[in-house]
Amino acid sequence: PMGSERMEMRKRQMSTTQETPGSAQAQHSTGNRGSNACCFCWCCCCSCSCLTVRNQDEERARRTSHELQAEGIPNCEESPAPTLEEVNAWAQSFDKLMLTPAGRNAFREFLRTEFSEENMLFWMACEELKQESNKSVIEEKARLIYEDYISILSPKEVSLDSRVREVINRNMLEPSQHTFDDAQLQIYTLMHRDSYPRFMNSAIYKDLLRSLSEKSIEA
């Protein structure tokens, strides 16, 4: 009986060893068949769900890479250096800060130190969406904004209440330039009440103000 058990075990081991190269070869040939091959089976299935997921991941990776290249330097908006008058005006109201590219850049730099830069990025993306008139472009940009800043799976998700999220989900059935208006206002208000006061007391703002004041005196 012991010998029979050993023989049975050896047969199982040999069977497993023989199956392994075959499986590897099948997987290799599957990869060579290109986009019609399913990663979970050896058959060809052009509408395989696993391929859909893989293609979406690849597309997302390409888009992310493109976004990083487009951003380049940390401040994504080109603007002349702010004047002392402009920087002083930022202290008068949050609206004046947000009206100028230089103000948004300085504030965005501060938000980055607090790990909340996505608030500014979302607000800017909404402003860009409002400038579009082409329906297909609007739909694509709305989808990207949703994936980047609304989806709970995104690392750049902004903080929105349930009411606003419900509005967005309804609006996404037929996206427009104003799909995210309620959400944009909520994030604008959040930055105004929460981040703006700290920005005015931050080293980033004070150092910029001091530097421009010294240059003004020298001139």
Side-chain angles (χ1 to χ4, degrees), residues 71-85:
E71 283 190 9
I73 58 175
N75 294 330
C76 67
E77 290 187 275
E78 293 184 3
S79 68
T83 64
L84 178 60
E85 182 180 0

Side-chain angles (χ1 to χ4, degrees), residues 6-24:
R6 289 196 188 96
M7 288 294 294
E8 191 64 26
M9 291 176 62
R10 186 172 299 176
K11 286 180 181 179
R12 292 199 191 100
Q13 291 172 353
M14 291 177 64
S15 175
T16 302
T17 304
Q18 290 172 355
E19 288 176 1
T20 302
S23 299

Side-chain angles (χ1 to χ4, degrees), residues 22 32 36 43 46 53 56 81 89 103-104 111 121 127 147 150 154 158 166 203:
N32 292 336
N36 287 332
C43 63
C46 59
V53 173
Q56 289 175 347
R104 292 191 295 270
L111 292 177
L121 294 175
E127 287 295 293
E147 290 181 357
I150 309 301
S154 174
V158 296
E166 289 176 3

Side-chain angles (χ1 to χ4, degrees), residues 185-219:
L185 177 60
Q186 189 169 99
I187 293 302
Y188 188 91
T189 303
L190 175 66
M191 291 190 294
H192 183 190
R193 293 177 178 176
D194 187 55
S195 303
Y196 173 63
R198 291 197 299 274
F199 169 70
M200 298 311 304
N201 290 315
S202 70
I204 291 176
Y205 177 75
K206 290 180 178 179
D207 288 348
L208 178 60
L209 183 62
R210 182 171 57 252
S211 174
L212 291 173
S213 297
E214 291 173 354
K215 290 181 180 179
S216 177
I217 293 173
E218 292 174 359

